[in-house]
Amino acid sequence: MRLMGVIRWLPWRWLLRRAARSQGFLDPLALMARLRRFGQPSEVAEPIELLRAGMVFHARGLINTRVIQHNLDWVWPYWIEQQFDPYSSAFLPRAFSITHVNLTHRNWTAVGRPDCAALPIVDPRGLVTAMEDGWSLDGWILGADGTALYPSRAKTAKQSLTNEPDDLRLTTQTAQSGMTLETRAQVWRESEPTASSHVLVCDYEAESATGGQLAIALRPYNPEGISFIQHVQSLADETGGAGGWRWQVQDDEPGSAVTDVHFDTQPDAFASSDYVGGDAALKAASGDAPAPVSGASTDCDTGLVTAVALYNLSPGEARTIRLRIPLPAAATQPDAVGWASALAGAAQLQVPDARFQHLYDTALRTLLLHSVEDIYPGPYTYRRFWFRDAAFIIHALLHAGFADRAEQALARFPERQTRATGYFHSQEGEWDANGQALWILARFHALTGRLPAGVSQAEWLRVIRRGAHWIERKRLPADDAVPEAGLLPAGFSAEHLGPNDYYYWDDDWAVGGLRAAAVTVDAAGDPQLADWMRAQADDLAASLTRAHDADVTRLGRTAIPASPRRRMDAGAIGSIAIGYPLQSVAADDPRLLGTVEYLLAAHRVHGGFFQEMIHSGVNAYLTLHLAQVLLRAGDARGLELMDAVAALASPTGQWPEAIHPGTYGGCMGDGQHVWAAAEWVAMMRHAFVREENEGLVLGAGLQTRWLQAGEVLGFGPTPTPHGAVRVTVHPDARGAHRVEWAIDGPDPDWVRIALPGRQPLEMTGALRTAQLPESTP
């Protein structure tokens, strides 16, 4: 304590400034003060969690800068081959780039099982990264005539994700000059559980018209850049049968964990190298790689070991080599669950549209893969928890019928709440979390009729009370003569709405969370707390209304900016949360629809919403938010946005967080964004059934071409406050349709049939069928 007191009295600011200036540097404190002036004063300039992640990200970028551009004769992953190719549309100049990071092809797809916490990823050319943030495996063909097929350098490739009844397999195919290579990756669960009961299985099937060699290579990189390999040793291995082979790979300093890569067949030749010796791929291509020797090892102090196992190919004959890599076990090993059983009871989509159908079926699997031990928004860059992403992902899990996964995630919310303040903490400085946590808890209660198990009802009420009081205490004074009076303070927006500001997004979630949770608290037997929460919500909503009225006068238009101190810009996308998912205002609210019109007119690229703040790309999930608001208002342009998002999906049915408008590759965030998959599930659900107050709206998002196809459409069962609902649309030969729905709970107050191109038909909730005439001109 005495030492801390001395440190506080030291003139450290003066010393830091003097040291910087003496070496010709800018004054760092003055620079930071300047940077802060671009945002509103906030208690948290930037969450320490994001600073830590950013430092790790750019530390790798610095290493990439030191390694890649000086070794362009190496075989690099697809994103590097593209970004460093002067003839590629993805080329990036690097003269003033301090770090070299993947900015144009942030695409990858996870493989796994619904009972496996590990998430191996595969890039667009078949590069497999088995361990989180680890090294990778690649394959290529060296033709006997001197030609070569390197998938990362191939102009085209075909990639697909197979959703079989009890399997999830990713296949990558490349071909050129009479050579074809197919790689397949999937995760199996061993029949007899061991310390690691899951294995990544990779098959490499190669064929060359002239013969040659199949190369399977160990690579010290992944889709983000360099990932060190210190040591590799080759050994005979009979775990998969006689004649096997394995690599023992150590990715860090001596004494760190070792990963085994098991080959089903011993290679015919083998090459390895350290950094000084160059890429082992160069040795392999020279044609004089020696036969493998059991026990041979390669070490590299730099951490850039490379190795290549070579298998001879006879002309015109295919050869397949299988690799197996044990995956790390989860902290708590889940029960064995295959895909068939995990998907049993899930809401089924039936539409005459193979693209939409595949995207939905894939999105269901994406949700299950990323909710095994916690809710993750992505398998790699975003393999950590945020309340914001979790709220949307859990909501989609509920829509799809995965209430057990949703409940498992919600049961961890109390431990993430600070007991002293009631803050739902995933990152400091973000004030949307409490509203989102309260809202999704209330949605679980509304759709299941109960609070999540694992925590008593009394404890849940304490959690909700603490969360609501945090909102009350956090608000600014409502009687100040400033635009943000009564709102939540300025905060950092990881939703990428801009620099620190008084974001309406935060306040809208607080109002929505308080009102939704009040219904839950009332049902749980605490009407006094419920009334207080409603009063708090009304008071905050009144502050928002005052700010919005001032915005209309200030901006001269009926729309909602990102904050009371901002002009209209792309950050206004956050302000449409009042329409979706919160439904805090009427579907035809002028300010909501005015905001949507502005965003469509000023921020639309390739048919989708282009987020200029941080993302600098087309956003699938934010485009679907706009589509939800439009379709809720009966505007058929929402159908166009659905089509735009479907067209932007990768060949494996995934969306990166932001999509490059030129390359169509990922340019920000995780290459497989789970929030985007969640929004696709929600979109398909709301196309068939949407709650609106105490009623149900059916069929409002059905594509016109589906109705014209003359085939049965269907969705369900999906939970609603009225019980599980299943909707079926039957066509007849004249172009008319019969809509049927089944509800296993209490009748809604009303049901509205709202097929696009038809006059809406509203009826009593007790009915279960309606006949609609053919579409109007």
Side-chain angles (χ1 to χ4, degrees):
M1 293 297 291
R2 183 176 299 173
L3 177 62
M4 291 301 296
V6 172
I7 290 174
R8 281 195 294 268
W9 281 103
L10 283 173
W12 63 271
R13 290 176 178 267
W14 179 84
L15 292 171
L16 182 60
R17 284 194 172 106
R18 182 175 176 82
R21 288 170 176 169
S22 68
Q23 298 298 317
F25 289 100
L26 292 172
D27 180 346
L29 298 178
L31 178 62
M32 290 303 296
R34 286 283 181 184
L35 288 173
R36 290 194 180 111
R37 291 178 191 175
F38 290 99
Q40 300 300 327
S42 175
E43 64 189 76
V44 178
E46 186 169 287
I48 188 64
E49 297 87 352
L50 280 188
L51 286 172
R52 185 186 304 118
M55 290 179 69
V56 171
F57 181 83
H58 283 291
R60 170 176 277 125
L62 283 171
I63 294 169
N64 293 344
T65 304
R66 296 290 291 178
V67 176
I68 298 167
Q69 61 186 331
H70 311 297
N71 296 282
L72 291 177
D73 58 345
W74 283 39
V75 177
W76 291 108
Y78 178 62
W79 72 270
I80 293 177
E81 296 285 355
Q82 291 295 305
Q83 280 185 198
F84 286 75
D85 179 359
Y87 297 101
S88 170
S89 60
F91 172 76
L92 291 181
R94 48 190 178 274
F96 295 103
S97 298
I98 297 175
T99 67
H100 293 170
V101 295
N102 184 354
L103 293 175
T104 56
H105 290 284
R106 300 186 64 80
N107 300 81
W108 45 82
T109 305
V111 292
R113 283 173 50 95
D115 58 2
C116 178
L119 290 167
I121 58 174
V122 183
D123 90 339
R125 289 297 187 268
L127 182 78
V128 178
T129 305
M131 306 299 176
E132 182 181 358
D133 202 24
W135 42 263
S136 304
L137 294 168
D138 202 358
W140 56 77
I141 297 175
L142 302 173
D145 58 357
T147 58
L149 168 58
Y150 295 103
S152 64
R153 297 175 180 173
K155 291 184 178 180
T156 60
K158 183 179 179 181
Q159 196 168 55
S160 61
L161 191 67
T162 304
N163 298 323
E164 294 183 351
D166 207 19
D167 191 16
L168 185 72
R169 183 174 68 251
L170 197 152
T171 302
T172 309
Q173 298 170 310
T174 50
Q176 69 182 41
S177 304
M179 295 172 285
T180 60
L181 177 64
E182 179 173 295
T183 64
R184 299 181 290 273
Q186 59 197 120
V187 173
W188 291 355
R189 187 174 183 120
E190 302 279 55
S191 55
E192 295 184 7
T194 61
S196 175
S197 59
H198 292 99
V199 294
L200 172 65
V201 179
C202 299
D203 291 324
Y204 295 83
E205 183 177 342
E207 184 176 341
S208 173
T210 63
Q213 292 177 309
L214 163 64
I216 299 177
L218 179 67
R219 314 306 291 159
Y221 51 64
N222 59 39
E224 290 278 26
I226 300 300
S227 184
F228 296 119
I229 300 175
Q230 299 282 144
H231 169 87
V232 63
Q233 185 172 20
S234 302
L235 298 165
D237 180 23
E238 296 189 359
T239 58
W245 189 255
R246 68 184 162 114
W247 282 333
Q248 284 189 335
V249 184
Q250 200 164 35
D251 57 3
D252 212 327
E253 299 296 333
S256 62
V258 174
T259 301
D260 287 329
V261 180
H262 301 270
F263 295 73
D264 65 354
T265 305
Q266 178 174 311
D268 298 300
F270 175 78
S272 63
S273 181
D274 60 10
Y275 178 64
V276 174
D279 192 350
L282 302 175
K283 294 182 180 180
S286 69
D288 57 0
V293 177
S294 181
S297 64
T298 303
D299 295 273
C300 180
D301 291 338
T302 308
L304 290 170
V305 169
T306 54
V308 182
L310 296 163
Y311 293 87
N312 294 334
L313 298 174
S314 299
E317 294 184 12
R319 184 174 186 182
T320 301
I321 301 298
R322 170 166 289 177
L323 275 62
R324 297 168 61 257
I325 305 174
L327 298 174
T332 302
Q333 191 73 358
D335 295 334
V337 178
W339 284 111
S341 55
L343 291 164
Q348 299 298 308
L349 174 70
Q350 182 182 358
V351 293
D353 190 322
R355 181 68 165 162
F356 275 59
Q357 186 73 54
H358 178 70
L359 290 174
Y360 178 78
D361 294 340
T362 299
L364 292 182
R365 288 158 174 80
T366 295
L367 292 176
L368 289 173
L369 281 179
H370 295 82
S371 60
V372 176
E373 60 181 357
D374 210 340
I375 297 293
Y376 296 134
Y380 184 14
T381 309
Y382 288 164
R383 191 182 164 92
R384 54 188 185 272
F385 178 87
W386 282 279
F387 277 105
R388 172 178 44 260
D389 299 69
F392 285 96
I393 294 168
I394 292 171
H395 204 209
L397 286 168
L398 288 168
H399 284 160
F402 300 133
D404 55 338
R405 291 293 178 106
E407 186 168 30
Q408 173 184 297
L410 290 169
R412 298 194 62 183
F413 276 29
E415 68 190 53
R416 289 186 159 116
Q417 185 186 46
T418 58
R419 288 184 173 272
T421 66
Y423 178 44
F424 285 100
H425 176 227
S426 53
Q427 289 190 148
E428 284 290 349
E430 295 179 348
W431 312 138
D432 53 353
N434 274 49
Q436 288 153 354
L438 294 176
W439 179 81
I440 192 59
L441 279 168
R443 286 296 289 160
F444 180 88
H445 180 266
L447 297 178
T448 66
R450 58 186 176 83
L451 285 165
V455 177
S456 69
Q457 178 170 295
E459 178 58 23
W460 275 123
L461 289 176
R462 284 190 288 271
V463 167
I464 292 170
R465 182 183 293 106
R466 286 195 295 263
H469 279 291
W470 179 90
I471 295 173
E472 176 201 25
R473 291 190 298 268
K474 200 69 179 178
R475 290 176 59 194
L476 299 171
D479 55 356
D480 284 354
V482 292
E484 63 273 10
L487 304 182
L488 290 168
F492 178 84
S493 173
E495 188 41 30
H496 312 128
L497 305 178
N500 285 14
D501 213 332
Y502 306 97
Y503 287 112
Y504 290 139
W505 164 273
D506 300 336
D507 304 292
D508 292 333
W509 276 106
V511 171
L514 286 168
R515 284 181 174 159
V519 177
T520 298
V521 169
D522 225 345
D526 194 339
Q528 185 175 356
L529 175 60
D531 288 343
W532 176 84
M533 292 172 69
R534 291 189 185 96
Q536 286 296 314
D538 291 344
D539 192 66
L540 178 51
S543 294
L544 278 166
T545 298
R546 287 194 297 272
H548 292 336
D549 288 343
D551 288 334
V552 172
T553 301
R554 177 173 62 92
L555 300 173
R557 65 188 305 163
T558 304
I560 308 172
S563 88
R565 292 182 177 269
R566 287 268 285 278
R567 300 183 299 277
M568 292 300 292
D569 55 34
I573 189 70
S575 300
I576 71 169
I578 56 174
Y580 172 82
L582 294 172
Q583 296 185 353
S584 300
V585 297
D588 59 354
D589 181 86
R591 290 175 182 170
L592 170 63
L593 297 185
T595 308
V596 170
E597 292 298 340
Y598 163 78
L599 292 168
L600 291 175
H603 302 283
R604 195 173 178 187
V605 174
H606 298 320
F609 170 72
F610 186 88
Q611 172 59 297
E612 296 178 341
M613 311 292 179
I614 309 299
H615 290 213
S616 63
V618 185
N619 283 82
Y621 68 102
L622 295 177
T623 302
L624 290 174
H625 287 197
L626 286 168
Q628 293 272 14
V629 174
L630 288 170
L631 291 175
R632 182 172 174 241
D635 190 327
R637 288 178 296 171
L639 302 176
E640 298 174 12
L641 295 182
M642 290 166 62
D643 277 332
V645 172
L648 290 168
S650 75
T652 61
Q654 311 295 340
W655 296 272
E657 183 172 19
I659 298 166
H660 192 293
T663 69
Y664 290 89
C667 60
M668 190 270 176
D670 213 301
Q672 180 178 3
H673 198 223
V674 183
W675 185 350
E679 292 300 345
W680 189 256
V681 170
M683 190 78 257
M684 294 303 99
R685 191 259 199 179
H686 289 157
F688 281 86
V689 56
R690 183 186 80 241
E691 301 103 317
E692 192 72 44
N693 297 321
E694 299 304 316
L696 295 176
V697 180
L698 307 183
L702 301 184
Q703 293 283 347
T704 304
R705 63 181 180 273
W706 300 348
L707 296 169
Q708 295 172 344
E711 297 183 28
V712 175
L713 314 176
F715 187 86
T718 183
T720 74
H722 311 285
V725 173
R726 187 189 299 271
V727 179
T728 310
V729 180
H730 300 271
D732 66 18
R734 299 168 298 165
H737 288 84
R738 185 178 77 259
V739 181
E740 296 179 349
W741 57 97
I743 305 176
D744 68 358
D747 294 331
D749 287 358
W750 50 265
V751 173
R752 183 185 307 132
I753 314 300
L755 302 188
R758 315 292 172 92
Q759 189 68 28
L761 177 64
E762 191 164 310
M763 59 197 66
T764 174
L767 298 177
R768 294 293 185 267
T769 185
Q771 184 74 22
L772 277 76
E774 58 271 20
S775 59
T776 56

